[in-house]
């Protein structure tokens, strides 16, 4: 599978496109090409959004500002921003489940496995932020 055979797919998935079966890649490429045809400039489309996300948009949906940083640094900072937004939400959710566990109605409580899952997700995101910070 080469970039020239599947330009839309490579623009969307990057090197991950090489791991797709050829029949699936062909189908996705034709779908992306059909979505691209006839679009007016500035039109919000699935392909446009996927490409925008691939370019490293931050938690606010915008690319990280350039200001003297390399494209790799901007991508890492955008990833940090998204991971931090996810981590903040998970911690707020974990905090709310703890308040309900202590003071709330039994029907609103989540079980120990769900709370442990939230903790593990928080740890994973925090570790990811650390890796991305060192990459930036």
């Amino acid at each position: 599978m080469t970039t020239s055979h599947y330009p839309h797919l490579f623009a969307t998935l990057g090197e991950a496109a090489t791991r797709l079966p050829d029949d699936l890649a062909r189908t996705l490429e034709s779908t992306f090409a059909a979505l691209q045809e006839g679009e007016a400039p500035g039109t919000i489309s699935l392909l446009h959004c996927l490409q925008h996300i691939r370019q490293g948009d931050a938690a606010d949906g915008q690319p990280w500002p350039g200001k003297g940083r390399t494209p790799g640094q901007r991508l890492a900072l955008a990833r940090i921003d998204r991971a931090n937004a996810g981590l903040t939400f998970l911690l707020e959710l974990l905090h709310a489940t703890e308040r309900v566990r202590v003071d709330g109605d039994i029907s609103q409580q989540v079980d120990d496995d769900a709370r442990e899952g939230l903790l593990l997700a928080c740890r994973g995101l925090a570790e990811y932020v650390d890796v991305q910070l060192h990459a930036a």
Side-chain angles (χ1 to χ4, degrees):
M1 179 181 307
T2 65
T3 306
S4 61
H5 290 123
Y6 305 106
H8 294 95
L9 191 57
F10 271 86
T12 305
L13 298 176
E15 289 301 312
T18 61
R19 295 190 292 273
L20 295 175
D22 197 51
D23 57 336
L24 177 59
R26 227 182 355 263
T27 302
L28 288 171
E29 179 65 23
S30 63
T31 302
F32 286 145
L35 288 170
Q36 191 78 358
E37 292 174 9
E39 288 182 0
T43 300
I44 295 176
S45 67
L46 177 63
L47 182 59
H48 176 265
C49 288
L50 287 170
Q51 289 171 335
H52 190 71
I53 289 167
R54 178 101 173 113
Q55 292 169 356
D57 61 334
D60 63 0
Q62 300 302 310
W64 197 264
K67 298 183 185 166
R69 300 199 190 278
T70 67
Q73 289 170 327
R74 290 194 309 268
L75 183 61
L77 290 168
R79 287 176 175 165
I80 291 166
D81 190 48
R82 287 194 313 267
N84 187 54
L87 180 58
T88 299
F89 172 76
L90 287 174
L91 287 169
E92 289 168 351
L93 184 58
L94 184 58
H95 190 188
T97 63
E98 181 62 13
R99 281 190 180 168
V100 170
R101 186 187 69 78
V102 172
D103 297 323
D105 187 74
I106 191 94
S107 67
Q108 295 293 308
Q109 293 182 11
V110 297
D111 63 12
D112 290 340
D113 289 340
R115 281 193 306 280
E116 185 172 358
L118 287 169
L119 282 169
L120 291 172
C122 291
R123 284 184 54 199
L125 279 171
E127 291 166 359
Y128 180 79
V129 167
D130 185 58
V131 168
Q132 290 301 316
L133 276 172
H134 288 94

